Amino acid sequence: MDHFWDNPVRRHAGRLIAARSRRIAGLVLGMTVVVGLLLQHHWMEADWRQWRRPGYAGRLVTMSLLAEVGLLGAWAASRGGQLGRRVRREGHLDDYRRSRLAPVRIAAGLWGAAMGPPTGLLAVSALLAVVVGSGAEGLSPFAVLLAHAVVGILVWFFGLLGLLVGDRTRSPAAPIGVCLAVLAPAIGAIALLDPLLGRLDHPQVWIYGALLPNPVTAIAGALGMDVLRVAWLYEHMHAHEYFYVSPLPWQMVAVYLGPTALLFLGLTRRIGRPE
C-alpha cells in the first residue's frame, strides 16, 4: 500500500544533501551553547563565576534557545536552498514530475528532506535542555518542550522559505539572507517602535503588535521570562514603562502558520506547473 508518509522523494532528496550533515549539526549545537553563554554574560550581565548558582542553568537554556532560532533557522534555510537549486539544476524535479506522485507529495518530500537533520538536532537540543533545566529553579520540562516547539515552527518555516528561494536563485547565500531579512524586523520591531511610544494613542496595542511576531518574546515567555525587563533592555528602552501584555507563545506560532501554509501551497503549485 502506498502511504503518504512513505515518500520516495524525501528519501532520494535527503541523499542529495546528506554530506557533512552530522558535522554541521554538531557545530550548530556547539555554537548555540557558546552564543548562549555570551548572551548570558553580556546581555544578562551574569558573571562567569555565577555558573554554580541556582537558576544559572535555566537562564543558559533560555539564552541558548534564543541563539538557536537564528543558527538553526539559517541552517534550515541553507539546506532548503541547496536542495532547491540541486533538484532543478540536475533535472531531479522533472523526474519527480514524471512519476505518479502528486505535486503535494513531491513538495512534502522535498520539505521533509531539507528538514530531517535540523529536526533531529532540535530533538537532541530538547533532550539536553530538559536534563540541564531539570536542576534549574522554575524551569519545567513542559516549558522547555514548549519553547522548542516554538523554535521548531520557525525552523520549518525557514526551511520551506529557503527551498523556495533556492529554486529561484543560484546564490548559496540568498536563502540565509532571506532568513535574516525576516528575523531582523521580527525581533527589532519593538526597538524601532520604542522612540515613538510617547506619541501614540494606546501604546500598549502597538507594543503587543510589535512583540507578536517576535520569536525572542515567545521563547522567553514559554520559559517564564519577560525579556523587556532584562536589565540591559530595561536601561535602553521605554516599553516597560507602559502597561502591556506579552503575546502567548501559541499566538506567535499562529502568526507564522499562515505564511507557512501559503509558501507550501506556492511550492506545490510550482511543482505541478510544467515548464
Side-chain angles (χ1 to χ4, degrees), residues 40-62:
Q40 178 85 307
H41 180 66
H42 295 287
W43 189 38
M44 297 289 292
E45 300 179 351
D47 191 274
W48 300 115
R49 292 168 293 184
Q50 296 179 356
W51 67 275
R52 291 186 177 181
R53 294 186 178 182
Y56 189 93
R59 291 193 298 271
L60 178 58
V61 168
T62 303

Side-chain angles (χ1 to χ4, degrees), residues 66-79:
L66 298 185
E68 200 167 87
V69 171
L71 294 170
L72 194 53
W75 184 35
S78 176
R79 282 181 58 86

Side-chain angles (χ1 to χ4, degrees), residues 50-111:
Q50 296 179 356
W51 67 275
R52 291 186 177 181
R53 294 186 178 182
Y56 189 93
R59 291 193 298 271
L60 178 58
V61 168
T62 303
M63 295 299 105
S64 298
L65 271 175
L66 298 185
E68 200 167 87
V69 171
L71 294 170
L72 194 53
W75 184 35
S78 176
R79 282 181 58 86
Q82 179 187 356
L83 182 59
R85 290 191 306 274
R86 187 164 182 181
V87 296
R88 180 172 293 279
R89 183 180 66 245
E90 298 180 1
H92 299 297
L93 188 58
D94 293 330
D95 294 337
Y96 300 153
R97 285 173 173 147
R98 284 191 290 268
S99 69
R100 293 185 177 183
L101 293 174
V104 66
R105 289 198 65 190
I106 297 174
L110 292 173
W111 193 15

Side-chain angles (χ1 to χ4, degrees), residues 2-243:
D2 188 20
H3 296 283
F4 182 84
W5 298 111
D6 183 22
N7 195 314
V9 172
R10 178 183 57 79
R11 294 195 299 271
H12 178 264
R15 290 193 293 269
L16 294 177
I17 55 172
R20 300 189 300 275
S21 292
R22 291 184 179 178
R23 293 182 182 179
I24 296 175
L27 178 62
V28 171
L29 185 60
M31 289 178 63
T32 59
V33 176
V34 172
V35 175
L37 285 168
L38 292 174
L39 289 174
Q40 178 85 307
H41 180 66
H42 295 287
W43 189 38
M44 297 289 292
E45 300 179 351
D47 191 274
W48 300 115
R49 292 168 293 184
Q50 296 179 356
W51 67 275
R52 291 186 177 181
R53 294 186 178 182
Y56 189 93
R59 291 193 298 271
L60 178 58
V61 168
T62 303
M63 295 299 105
S64 298
L65 271 175
L66 298 185
E68 200 167 87
V69 171
L71 294 170
L72 194 53
W75 184 35
S78 176
R79 282 181 58 86
Q82 179 187 356
L83 182 59
R85 290 191 306 274
R86 187 164 182 181
V87 296
R88 180 172 293 279
R89 183 180 66 245
E90 298 180 1
H92 299 297
L93 188 58
D94 293 330
D95 294 337
Y96 300 153
R97 285 173 173 147
R98 284 191 290 268
S99 69
R100 293 185 177 183
L101 293 174
V104 66
R105 289 198 65 190
I106 297 174
L110 292 173
W111 193 15
M115 293 309 304
T119 302
L121 174 57
L122 191 66
V124 172
S125 171
L127 178 61
L128 291 175
V130 168
V131 172
V132 172
S134 62
E137 293 184 353
L139 198 60
S140 69
F142 175 79
V144 171
L145 294 177
L146 177 60
H148 276 82
V150 172
V151 176
I153 292 296
L154 287 164
V155 168
W156 275 77
F157 168 75
F158 288 129
L160 180 57
L161 189 60
L163 190 61
L164 283 160
V165 173
D167 184 51
R168 290 292 184 91
T169 180
R170 296 181 180 180
S171 171
I176 297 178
V178 172
C179 169
L180 297 178
V182 172
L183 268 180
I187 295 175
I190 186 64
L192 295 176
L193 178 66
D194 194 71
L196 306 175
L197 289 175
R199 310 174 194 173
L200 298 173
D201 296 330
H202 309 293
Q204 67 275 13
V205 176
W206 289 89
I207 294 172
Y208 178 87
L211 294 178
L212 186 58
N214 192 333
V216 173
T217 305
I219 294 168
L223 296 172
M225 174 188 288
D226 184 353
V227 291
L228 293 186
R229 301 195 184 277
V230 171
W232 189 91
L233 288 179
Y234 198 87
E235 295 174 359
H236 291 84
M237 297 184 65
H238 302 88
H240 59 82
E241 299 174 3
Y242 300 88
F243 175 79

